[in-house]
Amino acid sequence: MWQIKSDQQAWREDINHYEYGKFFHDIYKDYCNLKLKYFDSLSLKHLTEKLIILESKENRKLNVNQTTAYSRSVYIREFARRVSNGVCQLCDMDAPFHDTHGQPFLEVHHIHYLSKGGSDSIDNVIALCPNCHRKIHHLEIEEDVKKISDRAMSNMNI
Ligand SMILES: [Zn+2]
Ligand SMILES: [Zn+2]
């Protein structure tokens, strides 16, 4: 946790160093780049370890505040994207394009919807291409749901 806090502090300081004339858009873009650089520097193992620490803290109801919840969901999303290796976990095709940071564009889906009590945890998230993401929400085909559920379970063993 202290690591995340000190990283956040570093981003904040970087942002404070900008001249006043700079547009918010540029500052935000730089902020995203810094964040991306930070995530790139984490190994998958490191990422998983962080999640376990954050999760156990939440379970013990320690330090539960918005910052903790936000950090955890960011790590979970990053985990889902990272384990997918740029490949949609439903249709097995490469991401249709790369985002402005050069990362494969995939969306993170919660298999059991958060709105229906699903949890924000690594066994409940999966990276999908935009088409498959629409398809799963629109049709909810049992076979598809089973495939991504199995995938999410096996991602836990990585
Ligand atoms: Zn797909
Ligand atoms: Zn979704």
mmCIF file of all heavy atoms in Angstrom, residues 27-72:
data_model
loop_
_atom_site.group_PDB
_atom_site.id
_atom_site.type_symbol
_atom_site.label_atom_id
_atom_site.label_comp_id
_atom_site.label_asym_id
_atom_site.label_seq_id
_atom_site.Cartn_x
_atom_site.Cartn_y
_atom_site.Cartn_z
ATOM 1 N N ILE A 27 -1.936 17.752 -19.337
ATOM 2 C CA ILE A 27 -1.550 17.282 -18.008
ATOM 3 C C ILE A 27 -2.141 15.894 -17.768
ATOM 4 O O ILE A 27 -1.463 14.986 -17.307
ATOM 5 C CB ILE A 27 -2.035 18.272 -16.916
ATOM 6 C CG1 ILE A 27 -1.330 19.617 -17.096
ATOM 7 C CG2 ILE A 27 -1.781 17.706 -15.521
ATOM 8 C CD1 ILE A 27 -1.858 20.728 -16.222
ATOM 9 N N TYR A 28 -3.402 15.751 -18.159
ATOM 10 C CA TYR A 28 -4.072 14.464 -17.968
ATOM 11 C C TYR A 28 -3.383 13.375 -18.780
ATOM 12 O O TYR A 28 -3.174 12.263 -18.301
ATOM 13 C CB TYR A 28 -5.549 14.575 -18.350
ATOM 14 C CG TYR A 28 -6.286 13.287 -18.122
ATOM 15 C CD1 TYR A 28 -6.532 12.847 -16.818
ATOM 16 C CD2 TYR A 28 -6.699 12.487 -19.183
ATOM 17 C CE1 TYR A 28 -7.185 11.654 -16.587
ATOM 18 C CE2 TYR A 28 -7.350 11.291 -18.964
ATOM 19 C CZ TYR A 28 -7.594 10.876 -17.669
ATOM 20 O OH TYR A 28 -8.215 9.690 -17.444
ATOM 21 N N LYS A 29 -2.988 13.715 -19.997
ATOM 22 C CA LYS A 29 -2.320 12.750 -20.860
ATOM 23 C C LYS A 29 -1.001 12.302 -20.225
ATOM 24 O O LYS A 29 -0.686 11.115 -20.208
ATOM 25 C CB LYS A 29 -2.062 13.384 -22.231
ATOM 26 C CG LYS A 29 -2.302 12.403 -23.365
ATOM 27 C CD LYS A 29 -2.441 13.094 -24.678
ATOM 28 C CE LYS A 29 -1.126 13.126 -25.420
ATOM 29 N NZ LYS A 29 -1.234 13.807 -26.719
ATOM 30 N N ASP A 30 -0.255 13.273 -19.703
ATOM 31 C CA ASP A 30 1.015 12.951 -19.049
ATOM 32 C C ASP A 30 0.780 12.096 -17.811
ATOM 33 O O ASP A 30 1.533 11.171 -17.530
ATOM 34 C CB ASP A 30 1.755 14.237 -18.666
ATOM 35 C CG ASP A 30 2.323 14.928 -19.895
ATOM 36 O OD1 ASP A 30 2.517 14.233 -20.914
ATOM 37 O OD2 ASP A 30 2.560 16.135 -19.845
ATOM 38 N N TYR A 31 -0.288 12.414 -17.104
ATOM 39 C CA TYR A 31 -0.636 11.641 -15.917
ATOM 40 C C TYR A 31 -0.895 10.180 -16.301
ATOM 41 O O TYR A 31 -0.394 9.259 -15.673
ATOM 42 C CB TYR A 31 -1.876 12.267 -15.263
ATOM 43 C CG TYR A 31 -2.514 11.432 -14.186
ATOM 44 C CD1 TYR A 31 -1.977 11.391 -12.904
ATOM 45 C CD2 TYR A 31 -3.662 10.696 -14.450
ATOM 46 C CE1 TYR A 31 -2.560 10.628 -11.916
ATOM 47 C CE2 TYR A 31 -4.258 9.939 -13.469
ATOM 48 C CZ TYR A 31 -3.711 9.900 -12.199
ATOM 49 O OH TYR A 31 -4.300 9.132 -11.241
ATOM 50 N N CYS A 32 -1.653 9.987 -17.404
ATOM 51 C CA CYS A 32 -1.944 8.640 -17.885
ATOM 52 C C CYS A 32 -0.656 7.920 -18.275
ATOM 53 O O CYS A 32 -0.492 6.735 -17.989
ATOM 54 C CB CYS A 32 -2.882 8.675 -19.084
ATOM 55 S SG CYS A 32 -4.537 9.180 -18.624
ATOM 56 N N ASN A 33 0.243 8.635 -18.911
ATOM 57 C CA ASN A 33 1.512 8.025 -19.311
ATOM 58 C C ASN A 33 2.318 7.572 -18.114
ATOM 59 O O ASN A 33 2.900 6.490 -18.115
ATOM 60 C CB ASN A 33 2.335 9.005 -20.142
ATOM 61 C CG ASN A 33 1.858 9.039 -21.579
ATOM 62 O OD1 ASN A 33 1.348 8.042 -22.092
ATOM 63 N ND2 ASN A 33 1.984 10.179 -22.223
ATOM 64 N N LEU A 34 2.327 8.421 -17.085
ATOM 65 C CA LEU A 34 3.061 8.071 -15.867
ATOM 66 C C LEU A 34 2.482 6.813 -15.244
ATOM 67 O O LEU A 34 3.207 5.917 -14.819
ATOM 68 C CB LEU A 34 2.971 9.218 -14.846
ATOM 69 C CG LEU A 34 3.908 10.392 -15.062
ATOM 70 C CD1 LEU A 34 3.500 11.554 -14.163
ATOM 71 C CD2 LEU A 34 5.345 9.984 -14.749
ATOM 72 N N LYS A 35 1.144 6.776 -15.223
ATOM 73 C CA LYS A 35 0.451 5.647 -14.630
ATOM 74 C C LYS A 35 0.767 4.374 -15.411
ATOM 75 O O LYS A 35 1.033 3.318 -14.843
ATOM 76 C CB LYS A 35 -1.055 5.928 -14.685
ATOM 77 C CG LYS A 35 -1.783 5.381 -13.499
ATOM 78 C CD LYS A 35 -3.048 6.137 -13.256
ATOM 79 C CE LYS A 35 -4.242 5.297 -13.577
ATOM 80 N NZ LYS A 35 -5.501 5.919 -13.194
ATOM 81 N N LEU A 36 0.746 4.522 -16.738
ATOM 82 C CA LEU A 36 1.013 3.402 -17.614
ATOM 83 C C LEU A 36 2.433 2.875 -17.406
ATOM 84 O O LEU A 36 2.671 1.679 -17.333
ATOM 85 C CB LEU A 36 0.836 3.875 -19.050
ATOM 86 C CG LEU A 36 0.435 2.805 -20.039
ATOM 87 C CD1 LEU A 36 -1.037 2.492 -19.855
ATOM 88 C CD2 LEU A 36 0.679 3.306 -21.451
ATOM 89 N N LYS A 37 3.368 3.804 -17.283
ATOM 90 C CA LYS A 37 4.770 3.442 -17.082
ATOM 91 C C LYS A 37 4.902 2.637 -15.791
ATOM 92 O O LYS A 37 5.625 1.655 -15.720
ATOM 93 C CB LYS A 37 5.621 4.713 -16.994
ATOM 94 C CG LYS A 37 6.723 4.741 -18.064
ATOM 95 C CD LYS A 37 7.705 5.859 -17.803
ATOM 96 C CE LYS A 37 7.236 7.193 -18.364
ATOM 97 N NZ LYS A 37 7.948 8.335 -17.810
ATOM 98 N N TYR A 38 4.160 3.082 -14.781
ATOM 99 C CA TYR A 38 4.195 2.405 -13.498
ATOM 100 C C TYR A 38 3.664 0.973 -13.633
ATOM 101 O O TYR A 38 4.286 0.026 -13.172
ATOM 102 C CB TYR A 38 3.376 3.195 -12.477
ATOM 103 C CG TYR A 38 3.023 2.423 -11.247
ATOM 104 C CD1 TYR A 38 4.031 2.036 -10.343
ATOM 105 C CD2 TYR A 38 1.710 2.073 -10.978
ATOM 106 C CE1 TYR A 38 3.705 1.312 -9.214
ATOM 107 C CE2 TYR A 38 1.384 1.357 -9.849
ATOM 108 C CZ TYR A 38 2.375 0.968 -8.970
ATOM 109 O OH TYR A 38 2.047 0.252 -7.867
ATOM 110 N N PHE A 39 2.532 0.798 -14.324
ATOM 111 C CA PHE A 39 1.963 -0.535 -14.479
ATOM 112 C C PHE A 39 2.868 -1.420 -15.326
ATOM 113 O O PHE A 39 3.007 -2.602 -15.071
ATOM 114 C CB PHE A 39 0.561 -0.470 -15.090
ATOM 115 C CG PHE A 39 -0.495 -0.218 -14.056
ATOM 116 C CD1 PHE A 39 -1.316 0.877 -14.135
ATOM 117 C CD2 PHE A 39 -0.637 -1.095 -12.990
ATOM 118 C CE1 PHE A 39 -2.285 1.101 -13.167
ATOM 119 C CE2 PHE A 39 -1.603 -0.878 -12.021
ATOM 120 C CZ PHE A 39 -2.426 0.224 -12.109
ATOM 121 N N ASP A 40 3.487 -0.831 -16.344
ATOM 122 C CA ASP A 40 4.395 -1.596 -17.193
ATOM 123 C C ASP A 40 5.557 -2.152 -16.396
ATOM 124 O O ASP A 40 6.098 -3.203 -16.698
ATOM 125 C CB ASP A 40 4.936 -0.715 -18.322
ATOM 126 C CG ASP A 40 3.978 -0.676 -19.494
ATOM 127 O OD1 ASP A 40 3.019 -1.466 -19.470
ATOM 128 O OD2 ASP A 40 4.190 0.127 -20.405
ATOM 129 N N SER A 41 5.957 -1.409 -15.353
ATOM 130 C CA SER A 41 7.119 -1.819 -14.590
ATOM 131 C C SER A 41 6.798 -2.970 -13.630
ATOM 132 O O SER A 41 7.688 -3.586 -13.067
ATOM 133 C CB SER A 41 7.671 -0.626 -13.799
ATOM 134 O OG SER A 41 6.770 -0.302 -12.755
ATOM 135 N N LEU A 42 5.514 -3.266 -13.452
ATOM 136 C CA LEU A 42 5.136 -4.348 -12.535
ATOM 137 C C LEU A 42 5.114 -5.682 -13.278
ATOM 138 O O LEU A 42 4.589 -5.762 -14.378
ATOM 139 C CB LEU A 42 3.720 -4.109 -11.995
ATOM 140 C CG LEU A 42 3.478 -2.940 -11.052
ATOM 141 C CD1 LEU A 42 2.014 -2.897 -10.661
ATOM 142 C CD2 LEU A 42 4.332 -3.085 -9.809
ATOM 143 N N SER A 43 5.653 -6.709 -12.641
ATOM 144 C CA SER A 43 5.533 -8.034 -13.244
ATOM 145 C C SER A 43 4.158 -8.578 -12.874
ATOM 146 O O SER A 43 3.520 -8.086 -11.946
ATOM 147 C CB SER A 43 6.614 -8.964 -12.719
ATOM 148 O OG SER A 43 6.366 -9.241 -11.359
ATOM 149 N N LEU A 44 3.722 -9.604 -13.609
ATOM 150 C CA LEU A 44 2.406 -10.185 -13.342
ATOM 151 C C LEU A 44 2.354 -10.718 -11.901
ATOM 152 O O LEU A 44 1.356 -10.585 -11.202
ATOM 153 C CB LEU A 44 2.139 -11.309 -14.340
ATOM 154 C CG LEU A 44 0.706 -11.795 -14.430
ATOM 155 C CD1 LEU A 44 -0.244 -10.661 -14.741
ATOM 156 C CD2 LEU A 44 0.587 -12.861 -15.497
ATOM 157 N N LYS A 45 3.478 -11.276 -11.462
ATOM 158 C CA LYS A 45 3.543 -11.842 -10.113
ATOM 159 C C LYS A 45 3.377 -10.722 -9.076
ATOM 160 O O LYS A 45 2.614 -10.845 -8.127
ATOM 161 C CB LYS A 45 4.897 -12.536 -9.937
ATOM 162 C CG LYS A 45 5.014 -13.353 -8.673
ATOM 163 C CD LYS A 45 6.260 -14.233 -8.718
ATOM 164 C CE LYS A 45 6.532 -14.827 -7.347
ATOM 165 N NZ LYS A 45 7.343 -13.928 -6.515
ATOM 166 N N HIS A 46 4.085 -9.636 -9.326
ATOM 167 C CA HIS A 46 4.025 -8.478 -8.447
ATOM 168 C C HIS A 46 2.590 -7.939 -8.366
ATOM 169 O O HIS A 46 2.070 -7.624 -7.294
ATOM 170 C CB HIS A 46 4.959 -7.411 -9.015
ATOM 171 C CG HIS A 46 5.288 -6.324 -8.050
ATOM 172 N ND1 HIS A 46 6.339 -5.476 -8.218
ATOM 173 C CD2 HIS A 46 4.681 -5.943 -6.910
ATOM 174 C CE1 HIS A 46 6.379 -4.626 -7.216
ATOM 175 N NE2 HIS A 46 5.375 -4.886 -6.411
ATOM 176 N N LEU A 47 1.957 -7.878 -9.527
ATOM 177 C CA LEU A 47 0.585 -7.387 -9.634
ATOM 178 C C LEU A 47 -0.352 -8.259 -8.790
ATOM 179 O O LEU A 47 -1.181 -7.760 -8.030
ATOM 180 C CB LEU A 47 0.179 -7.449 -11.108
ATOM 181 C CG LEU A 47 -0.990 -6.627 -11.602
ATOM 182 C CD1 LEU A 47 -0.711 -5.154 -11.460
ATOM 183 C CD2 LEU A 47 -1.256 -6.935 -13.070
ATOM 184 N N THR A 48 -0.190 -9.585 -8.926
ATOM 185 C CA THR A 48 -1.026 -10.529 -8.177
ATOM 186 C C THR A 48 -0.788 -10.374 -6.686
ATOM 187 O O THR A 48 -1.733 -10.373 -5.899
ATOM 188 C CB THR A 48 -0.700 -11.971 -8.608
ATOM 189 O OG1 THR A 48 -0.499 -11.976 -10.004
ATOM 190 C CG2 THR A 48 -1.829 -12.901 -8.264
ATOM 191 N N GLU A 49 0.473 -10.217 -6.305
ATOM 192 C CA GLU A 49 0.789 -10.055 -4.879
ATOM 193 C C GLU A 49 0.126 -8.814 -4.314
ATOM 194 O O GLU A 49 -0.428 -8.837 -3.219
ATOM 195 C CB GLU A 49 2.302 -9.968 -4.676
ATOM 196 C CG GLU A 49 2.970 -11.333 -4.721
ATOM 197 C CD GLU A 49 4.490 -11.227 -4.865
ATOM 198 O OE1 GLU A 49 5.016 -10.093 -4.847
ATOM 199 O OE2 GLU A 49 5.114 -12.282 -5.015
ATOM 200 N N LYS A 50 0.166 -7.736 -5.088
ATOM 201 C CA LYS A 50 -0.463 -6.492 -4.633
ATOM 202 C C LYS A 50 -1.950 -6.689 -4.416
ATOM 203 O O LYS A 50 -2.526 -6.204 -3.444
ATOM 204 C CB LYS A 50 -0.249 -5.372 -5.655
ATOM 205 C CG LYS A 50 1.120 -4.784 -5.554
ATOM 206 C CD LYS A 50 1.182 -3.419 -6.193
ATOM 207 C CE LYS A 50 2.572 -2.862 -6.091
ATOM 208 N NZ LYS A 50 2.679 -1.670 -5.295
ATOM 209 N N LEU A 51 -2.562 -7.428 -5.348
ATOM 210 C CA LEU A 51 -4.001 -7.675 -5.240
ATOM 211 C C LEU A 51 -4.333 -8.464 -3.990
ATOM 212 O O LEU A 51 -5.308 -8.186 -3.306
ATOM 213 C CB LEU A 51 -4.483 -8.439 -6.471
ATOM 214 C CG LEU A 51 -4.806 -7.546 -7.652
ATOM 215 C CD1 LEU A 51 -4.991 -8.362 -8.908
ATOM 216 C CD2 LEU A 51 -6.070 -6.758 -7.369
ATOM 217 N N ILE A 52 -3.503 -9.470 -3.702
ATOM 218 C CA ILE A 52 -3.751 -10.293 -2.513
ATOM 219 C C ILE A 52 -3.662 -9.424 -1.261
ATOM 220 O O ILE A 52 -4.513 -9.505 -0.376
ATOM 221 C CB ILE A 52 -2.763 -11.480 -2.455
ATOM 222 C CG1 ILE A 52 -3.074 -12.455 -3.615
ATOM 223 C CG2 ILE A 52 -2.838 -12.196 -1.109
ATOM 224 C CD1 ILE A 52 -2.000 -13.470 -3.893
ATOM 225 N N ILE A 53 -2.670 -8.546 -1.224
ATOM 226 C CA ILE A 53 -2.513 -7.662 -0.063
ATOM 227 C C ILE A 53 -3.720 -6.735 0.066
ATOM 228 O O ILE A 53 -4.316 -6.607 1.124
ATOM 229 C CB ILE A 53 -1.214 -6.824 -0.183
ATOM 230 C CG1 ILE A 53 0.005 -7.742 -0.122
ATOM 231 C CG2 ILE A 53 -1.144 -5.763 0.911
ATOM 232 C CD1 ILE A 53 1.300 -7.097 -0.550
ATOM 233 N N LEU A 54 -4.102 -6.128 -1.070
ATOM 234 C CA LEU A 54 -5.232 -5.187 -1.041
ATOM 235 C C LEU A 54 -6.511 -5.896 -0.625
ATOM 236 O O LEU A 54 -7.298 -5.380 0.161
ATOM 237 C CB LEU A 54 -5.422 -4.545 -2.416
ATOM 238 C CG LEU A 54 -4.342 -3.553 -2.837
ATOM 239 C CD1 LEU A 54 -4.520 -3.151 -4.291
ATOM 240 C CD2 LEU A 54 -4.373 -2.318 -1.952
ATOM 241 N N GLU A 55 -6.707 -7.117 -1.152
ATOM 242 C CA GLU A 55 -7.911 -7.866 -0.847
ATOM 243 C C GLU A 55 -7.976 -8.236 0.627
ATOM 244 O O GLU A 55 -9.008 -8.086 1.257
ATOM 245 C CB GLU A 55 -7.951 -9.129 -1.702
ATOM 246 C CG GLU A 55 -9.303 -9.348 -2.317
ATOM 247 C CD GLU A 55 -9.216 -10.162 -3.604
ATOM 248 O OE1 GLU A 55 -8.484 -9.751 -4.521
ATOM 249 O OE2 GLU A 55 -9.855 -11.199 -3.659
ATOM 250 N N SER A 56 -6.862 -8.694 1.180
ATOM 251 C CA SER A 56 -6.891 -9.106 2.580
ATOM 252 C C SER A 56 -7.117 -7.892 3.480
ATOM 253 O O SER A 56 -7.794 -7.989 4.494
ATOM 254 C CB SER A 56 -5.615 -9.852 2.962
ATOM 255 O OG SER A 56 -4.556 -8.948 3.082
ATOM 256 N N LYS A 57 -6.594 -6.759 3.069
ATOM 257 C CA LYS A 57 -6.826 -5.540 3.855
ATOM 258 C C LYS A 57 -8.300 -5.203 3.879
ATOM 259 O O LYS A 57 -8.854 -4.826 4.898
ATOM 260 C CB LYS A 57 -6.061 -4.361 3.252
ATOM 261 C CG LYS A 57 -4.681 -4.231 3.828
ATOM 262 C CD LYS A 57 -4.096 -2.888 3.471
ATOM 263 C CE LYS A 57 -2.727 -2.757 4.089
ATOM 264 N NZ LYS A 57 -1.955 -1.695 3.523
ATOM 265 N N GLU A 58 -8.931 -5.369 2.697
ATOM 266 C CA GLU A 58 -10.355 -5.053 2.628
ATOM 267 C C GLU A 58 -11.167 -6.015 3.463
ATOM 268 O O GLU A 58 -12.115 -5.629 4.144
ATOM 269 C CB GLU A 58 -10.838 -5.103 1.181
ATOM 270 C CG GLU A 58 -10.859 -3.726 0.593
ATOM 271 C CD GLU A 58 -11.374 -3.697 -0.820
ATOM 272 O OE1 GLU A 58 -12.198 -4.541 -1.175
ATOM 273 O OE2 GLU A 58 -10.917 -2.826 -1.563
ATOM 274 N N ASN A 59 -10.772 -7.299 3.399
ATOM 275 C CA ASN A 59 -11.498 -8.302 4.173
ATOM 276 C C ASN A 59 -11.414 -8.026 5.656
ATOM 277 O O ASN A 59 -12.347 -8.283 6.405
ATOM 278 C CB ASN A 59 -10.967 -9.710 3.878
ATOM 279 C CG ASN A 59 -11.368 -10.153 2.486
ATOM 280 O OD1 ASN A 59 -12.275 -9.581 1.895
ATOM 281 N ND2 ASN A 59 -10.692 -11.148 1.957
ATOM 282 N N ARG A 60 -10.267 -7.526 6.083
ATOM 283 C CA ARG A 60 -10.110 -7.240 7.510
ATOM 284 C C ARG A 60 -10.687 -5.869 7.865
ATOM 285 O O ARG A 60 -10.561 -5.408 8.985
ATOM 286 C CB ARG A 60 -8.628 -7.323 7.893
ATOM 287 C CG ARG A 60 -8.178 -8.764 8.058
ATOM 288 C CD ARG A 60 -6.734 -8.835 8.500
ATOM 289 N NE ARG A 60 -5.839 -8.577 7.383
ATOM 290 C CZ ARG A 60 -4.783 -7.783 7.455
ATOM 291 N NH1 ARG A 60 -4.484 -7.157 8.565
ATOM 292 N NH2 ARG A 60 -4.017 -7.599 6.410
ATOM 293 N N LYS A 61 -11.283 -5.260 6.845
ATOM 294 C CA LYS A 61 -11.925 -3.953 7.023
ATOM 295 C C LYS A 61 -10.930 -2.901 7.550
ATOM 296 O O LYS A 61 -11.276 -2.003 8.304
ATOM 297 C CB LYS A 61 -13.139 -4.031 7.953
ATOM 298 C CG LYS A 61 -14.234 -4.948 7.455
ATOM 299 C CD LYS A 61 -15.482 -4.158 7.094
ATOM 300 C CE LYS A 61 -16.644 -5.041 6.680
ATOM 301 N NZ LYS A 61 -16.545 -5.555 5.331
ATOM 302 N N LEU A 62 -9.698 -3.068 7.140
ATOM 303 C CA LEU A 62 -8.681 -2.082 7.510
ATOM 304 C C LEU A 62 -8.520 -1.140 6.340
ATOM 305 O O LEU A 62 -8.572 -1.566 5.188
ATOM 306 C CB LEU A 62 -7.336 -2.772 7.749
ATOM 307 C CG LEU A 62 -7.145 -3.502 9.063
ATOM 308 C CD1 LEU A 62 -5.785 -4.188 9.040
ATOM 309 C CD2 LEU A 62 -7.223 -2.536 10.236
ATOM 310 N N ASN A 63 -8.322 0.096 6.641
ATOM 311 C CA ASN A 63 -7.967 1.027 5.573
ATOM 312 C C ASN A 63 -8.988 1.076 4.455
ATOM 313 O O ASN A 63 -8.627 1.347 3.318
ATOM 314 C CB ASN A 63 -6.634 0.568 4.954
ATOM 315 C CG ASN A 63 -5.576 1.599 5.185
ATOM 316 O OD1 ASN A 63 -5.899 2.769 5.381
ATOM 317 N ND2 ASN A 63 -4.339 1.184 5.149
ATOM 318 N N VAL A 64 -10.226 0.707 4.741
ATOM 319 C CA VAL A 64 -11.218 0.715 3.670
ATOM 320 C C VAL A 64 -11.682 2.145 3.436
ATOM 321 O O VAL A 64 -12.337 2.746 4.271
ATOM 322 C CB VAL A 64 -12.421 -0.202 3.977
ATOM 323 C CG1 VAL A 64 -13.417 -0.156 2.828
ATOM 324 C CG2 VAL A 64 -11.944 -1.616 4.190
ATOM 325 N N ASN A 65 -11.259 2.665 2.345
ATOM 326 C CA ASN A 65 -11.726 3.987 1.944
ATOM 327 C C ASN A 65 -11.769 3.987 0.429
ATOM 328 O O ASN A 65 -11.439 3.001 -0.201
ATOM 329 C CB ASN A 65 -10.798 5.084 2.488
ATOM 330 C CG ASN A 65 -9.365 4.838 2.085
ATOM 331 O OD1 ASN A 65 -9.103 4.364 0.978
ATOM 332 N ND2 ASN A 65 -8.428 5.141 2.948
ATOM 333 N N GLN A 66 -12.191 5.051 -0.143
ATOM 334 C CA GLN A 66 -12.350 5.098 -1.601
ATOM 335 C C GLN A 66 -11.042 4.846 -2.327
ATOM 336 O O GLN A 66 -11.032 4.204 -3.354
ATOM 337 C CB GLN A 66 -12.899 6.456 -1.996
ATOM 338 C CG GLN A 66 -14.414 6.417 -2.106
ATOM 339 C CD GLN A 66 -14.927 7.714 -2.648
ATOM 340 O OE1 GLN A 66 -14.375 8.762 -2.339
ATOM 341 N NE2 GLN A 66 -15.957 7.652 -3.453
ATOM 342 N N THR A 67 -9.956 5.349 -1.761
ATOM 343 C CA THR A 67 -8.666 5.185 -2.425
ATOM 344 C C THR A 67 -8.324 3.711 -2.563
ATOM 345 O O THR A 67 -7.901 3.258 -3.620
ATOM 346 C CB THR A 67 -7.549 5.884 -1.619
ATOM 347 O OG1 THR A 67 -8.045 7.105 -1.146
ATOM 348 C CG2 THR A 67 -6.320 6.091 -2.472
ATOM 349 N N THR A 68 -8.539 2.946 -1.480
ATOM 350 C CA THR A 68 -8.223 1.516 -1.503
ATOM 351 C C THR A 68 -9.069 0.818 -2.563
ATOM 352 O O THR A 68 -8.547 0.064 -3.383
ATOM 353 C CB THR A 68 -8.511 0.870 -0.142
ATOM 354 O OG1 THR A 68 -8.001 1.724 0.860
ATOM 355 C CG2 THR A 68 -7.868 -0.488 -0.057
ATOM 356 N N ALA A 69 -10.374 1.093 -2.526
ATOM 357 C CA ALA A 69 -11.277 0.428 -3.464
ATOM 358 C C ALA A 69 -10.885 0.781 -4.901
ATOM 359 O O ALA A 69 -10.813 -0.085 -5.757
ATOM 360 C CB ALA A 69 -12.701 0.844 -3.187
ATOM 361 N N TYR A 70 -10.581 2.037 -5.129
ATOM 362 C CA TYR A 70 -10.211 2.474 -6.466
ATOM 363 C C TYR A 70 -8.927 1.776 -6.913
ATOM 364 O O TYR A 70 -8.885 1.199 -7.982
ATOM 365 C CB TYR A 70 -10.024 3.993 -6.481
ATOM 366 C CG TYR A 70 -9.490 4.506 -7.781
ATOM 367 C CD1 TYR A 70 -10.290 4.514 -8.917
ATOM 368 C CD2 TYR A 70 -8.177 4.941 -7.894
ATOM 369 C CE1 TYR A 70 -9.811 4.961 -10.120
ATOM 370 C CE2 TYR A 70 -7.687 5.394 -9.099
ATOM 371 C CZ TYR A 70 -8.507 5.403 -10.203
ATOM 372 O OH TYR A 70 -8.015 5.841 -11.399
ATOM 373 N N SER A 71 -7.910 1.764 -6.039
ATOM 374 C CA SER A 71 -6.632 1.157 -6.421
ATOM 375 C C SER A 71 -6.833 -0.302 -6.784
ATOM 376 O O SER A 71 -6.310 -0.782 -7.767
ATOM 377 C CB SER A 71 -5.626 1.203 -5.286
ATOM 378 O OG SER A 71 -5.581 2.470 -4.748
ATOM 379 N N ARG A 72 -7.640 -0.995 -5.967
ATOM 380 C CA ARG A 72 -7.816 -2.415 -6.199
ATOM 381 C C ARG A 72 -8.463 -2.660 -7.563
ATOM 382 O O ARG A 72 -8.000 -3.504 -8.320
ATOM 383 C CB ARG A 72 -8.643 -3.047 -5.087
ATOM 384 C CG ARG A 72 -8.577 -4.553 -5.122
ATOM 385 C CD ARG A 72 -9.053 -5.129 -3.819
ATOM 386 N NE ARG A 72 -10.495 -5.059 -3.705
ATOM 387 C CZ ARG A 72 -11.303 -6.040 -4.096
ATOM 388 N NH1 ARG A 72 -10.795 -7.129 -4.618
ATOM 389 N NH2 ARG A 72 -12.587 -5.933 -3.971
#
